[in-house]
Amino acid sequence: MATRPSSVLTQKTDNELKGTWPQALRRFDGWLHARGMSDKTRRAYGTDIEQLGRWAGERGLDPVAVEWRDLRRFAGFLSESGMAKSAVARKLAAVRTFYRQLVELGQLGASPADLVATPKRDAYLPRVLKPGEVAALLERIPVSTPLELRDRALFELAYAAGLRAEELVNLDTSNVDPDAEQLRVEGKGSRTRVVPAGEPAWRAIAAYLERGRPVLARGAEPALFISKTGRRLSTSDVRRRLAAWVRRAELQGHVSPHTLRHSFATHLLEGGADLRVIQELLGHATISTTQTYTRVESVRLKKVYALAHPRA
């Protein structure tokens, strides 16, 4: 049986990497694939470990010869090159996964990456639209043409269910259940969740399915959201269409599909939703990711306090 080609390594990188790093990266890619990792995730991990392989190979270090001190030096090298703390932290997370794999395969007794601390990330507070801004954006999308009907349904659903752009474009018509007012979403790591959506989103979807999608459909494409040529939309299509409607609504600043997702989560928190419920709706693997929204809410409350309290 032919060996499945790596999603990252090419003959060029094979030639450039030294020692046993090419074989190690191919084995790691196969290990990720066996665990259901998406091609996008495998490429990202492969790129990160390839960078470690180049750095270590120049110092005569094969994967099993790398010690925790070497990984600390590698993290320092990344920081000194001007890389953001968040990017360094992401690469170290990939390194930990790589060495966990070597431990599982019995090539190492313990992971050297476990002794390397992750740099404290810079505080990041996502932009959040006010409810009135979301309404202004969505209500400025007309519903006269098939493409307008599609865009209205697309962004109503993005906000109503807090979906990532990739999750939106991966939806098939079979994933939506208008009677139950819920949809089945496949998120990161092939984790599937069932998410509700409100009346405005379902009205927009119903109008699109009745008067928009049939006009756009070509052949047996199962995608819910399709282009004017009948193909499944890409995430870049979603970002491009949103940018056009943001300009039409005259909203200031950058608004991305993730801005709608952040706004969804923050508005739920402001409305009294439990953080664990928000975690489940967003499809976060850990509660720590969802806790970003408590910081957003804390900043908002401090601003309100400073403006309103006589002795602030």
Side-chain angles (χ1 to χ4, degrees), residues 164-219:
R164 302 176 178 95
E166 191 169 9
E167 293 170 344
L168 285 165
V169 300
N170 286 338
L171 285 174
D172 290 339
T173 54
S174 60
N175 294 138
V176 298
D177 185 349
D179 292 333
E181 295 190 346
Q182 63 186 25
L183 56 149
R184 190 175 70 257
V185 180
E186 185 172 319
K188 289 185 176 180
S190 298
R191 291 188 297 271
T192 301
R193 66 189 191 276
V194 176
V195 184
E199 287 289 344
W202 288 112
R203 285 197 299 269
I205 291 170
Y208 165 61
L209 289 176
E210 181 182 346
R211 298 187 283 118
R213 193 180 183 282
V215 179
L216 304 173
R218 303 284 191 279

Side-chain angles (χ1 to χ4, degrees), residues 2-264:
T3 302
R4 178 182 48 79
S6 169
S7 63
V8 175
L9 285 182
T10 63
Q11 189 60 49
K12 183 174 183 292
T13 53
D14 262 6
N15 295 336
E16 291 176 353
L17 288 171
K18 298 179 180 179
T20 61
W21 282 99
Q23 301 95 303
L25 260 75
R26 291 188 184 281
R27 186 171 51 246
F28 180 49
D29 182 65
W31 185 83
L32 294 172
H33 183 267
R35 280 153 183 76
M37 294 288 186
S38 68
D39 290 346
K40 181 179 178 181
T41 299
R42 287 164 49 212
R43 282 194 295 271
Y45 276 26
T47 299
D48 291 338
I49 302 307
E50 183 183 337
Q51 187 172 8
L52 171 63
R54 291 177 188 277
W55 182 90
E58 290 171 358
R59 291 156 179 79
L61 297 171
D62 276 338
V64 296
V66 171
E67 298 181 349
W68 68 270
R69 294 180 184 85
D70 300 313
L71 294 178
R72 286 187 63 180
R73 294 188 188 101
F74 175 63
F77 160 76
L78 295 175
S79 296
E80 289 167 7
S81 69
M83 186 173 291
K85 291 179 182 178
S86 58
V88 175
R90 192 201 71 240
K91 287 184 180 292
L92 289 178
V95 169
R96 288 191 184 89
T97 302
F98 174 72
Y99 277 100
R100 187 174 80 241
Q101 168 242 183
L102 292 183
V103 171
E104 283 190 13
L105 295 176
Q107 295 194 12
L108 286 173
S111 169
D114 290 344
L115 299 176
V116 181
T118 300
K120 188 174 181 180
R121 300 188 184 208
D122 297 323
Y124 166 65
L125 297 179
R127 181 185 179 186
V128 175
L129 298 176
K130 297 176 182 177
E133 290 177 313
V134 175
L137 169 63
L138 296 177
E139 290 168 10
R140 289 296 294 271
I141 304 176
V143 288
S144 301
T145 69
L147 293 179
E148 291 170 351
L149 286 163
R150 180 203 65 192
D151 287 357
R152 180 66 175 265
L154 177 68
F155 297 120
E156 284 278 9
L157 189 59
Y159 172 67
L163 302 187
R164 302 176 178 95
E166 191 169 9
E167 293 170 344
L168 285 165
V169 300
N170 286 338
L171 285 174
D172 290 339
T173 54
S174 60
N175 294 138
V176 298
D177 185 349
D179 292 333
E181 295 190 346
Q182 63 186 25
L183 56 149
R184 190 175 70 257
V185 180
E186 185 172 319
K188 289 185 176 180
S190 298
R191 291 188 297 271
T192 301
R193 66 189 191 276
V194 176
V195 184
E199 287 289 344
W202 288 112
R203 285 197 299 269
I205 291 170
Y208 165 61
L209 289 176
E210 181 182 346
R211 298 187 283 118
R213 193 180 183 282
V215 179
L216 304 173
R218 303 284 191 279
E221 173 60 70
L224 176 61
F225 295 113
I226 55 179
S227 71
K228 62 184 178 181
T229 58
R231 63 170 177 80
R232 185 184 296 271
L233 292 184
S234 67
T235 54
S236 60
D237 291 329
V238 175
R239 288 190 291 270
R240 179 175 52 80
R241 295 305 303 149
L242 179 59
W245 294 119
V246 166
R247 288 193 296 271
R248 177 80 67 90
E250 299 180 342
L251 294 181
Q252 299 301 310
H254 178 67
V255 177
S256 69
H258 236 63
T259 305
L260 296 179
R261 179 171 161 87
H262 293 320
S263 302
F264 160 85

Side-chain angles (χ1 to χ4, degrees), residues 268-285:
L268 281 176
L269 187 65
E270 291 174 347
D274 181 83
L275 202 61
R276 289 286 181 185
V277 173
I278 297 174
Q279 176 192 358
E280 187 174 344
L281 291 172
L282 290 173
H284 286 160

